[in-house]
């Protein structure tokens, strides 16, 4: 058994993270088409609409990059949940405030370290 002192509903966090993971995977699957479309339509569309298409493809790639970052954060968090390390600051090993975890279950630093670090 873990000696976790804080009262965190780990199962709730885990199931929310799994849910979010599924959502992201679904979005990735459905947006795959919009990332492919430029290649397919290159010969058919004019220069301006092609630029539009490239722009929207770039935006779609950027969203995809963000989704990948979020997915890997979720994976890391799920691993921490499984290991019983969840809820502790990676830097100072103090408990992370529950409110902070509820706001973003994937945070890995307590508020003090995050503030010192300059990226919250
Ligand atoms: Zn800390």
């Amino acid at each position: 058994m873990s000696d976790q002192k804080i009262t965190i509903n780990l199962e709730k966090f885990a199931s929310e993270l799994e849910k979010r993971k599924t959502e992201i995977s679904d979005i990735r699957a459905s947006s795959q088409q919009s990332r492919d479309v430029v290649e397919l339509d290159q010969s058919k569309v004019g220069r301006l609409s092609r630029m539009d298409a490239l722009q929207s493809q770039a935006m779609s790639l950027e969203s995809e990059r963000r989704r990948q970052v979020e997915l890997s954060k979720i994976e890391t968090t799920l691993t921490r949940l499984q290991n019983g390390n969840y809820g502790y600051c990676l830097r100072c090993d103090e408990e992370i405030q529950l409110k902070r975890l509820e706001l973003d279950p994937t945070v890995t630093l307590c508020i003090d370290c995050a503030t010192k670090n300059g990226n919250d």
Side-chain angles (χ1 to χ4, degrees):
M1 286 302 288
S2 110
D3 58 350
Q4 201 142 15
K5 284 170 283 173
I6 36 174
T7 323
I8 292 183
N9 189 338
L10 295 176
E11 279 178 26
K12 190 185 117 201
F13 277 103
S15 79
E16 273 172 15
L17 287 167
E18 291 288 356
K19 208 176 108 193
R20 182 73 187 131
K21 216 170 95 175
T22 311
E23 276 172 17
I24 296 173
S25 303
D26 287 351
I27 297 170
R28 290 180 76 188
S30 65
S31 66
Q32 182 65 47
Q33 219 176 351
S34 65
R35 289 197 301 279
D36 291 342
V37 80
V38 176
E39 295 296 328
L40 296 172
D41 288 350
Q42 260 180 16
S43 56
K44 292 181 216 157
V45 297
R47 193 165 177 266
L48 274 178
S49 52
R50 185 167 167 243
M51 278 171 67
D52 281 349
L54 285 173
Q55 199 167 30
S56 78
Q57 189 193 38
M59 279 167 62
S60 147
L61 285 171
E62 172 61 16
S63 313
E64 171 65 9
R65 196 190 58 79
R66 283 191 203 152
R67 282 192 288 270
Q68 274 169 357
V69 170
E70 194 179 352
L71 267 182
S72 79
K73 270 165 85 176
I74 292 174
E75 294 288 356
T76 310
T77 307
L78 285 170
T79 307
R80 282 162 58 79
L81 274 165
Q82 279 155 13
N83 294 343
N85 298 326
Y86 187 69
Y88 292 96
C89 176
L90 277 184
R91 184 161 300 173
C92 70
D93 222 23
E94 289 296 317
E95 293 169 2
I96 300 174
Q97 295 82 349
L98 184 57
K99 274 194 174 161
R100 193 165 153 72
L101 291 171
E102 280 171 343
L103 208 65
D104 180 0
T106 63
V107 290
T108 52
L109 295 177
C110 71
I111 187 77
D112 289 341
C113 292
T115 310
K116 274 180 232 157
N117 207 28
N119 75 66
D120 185 6

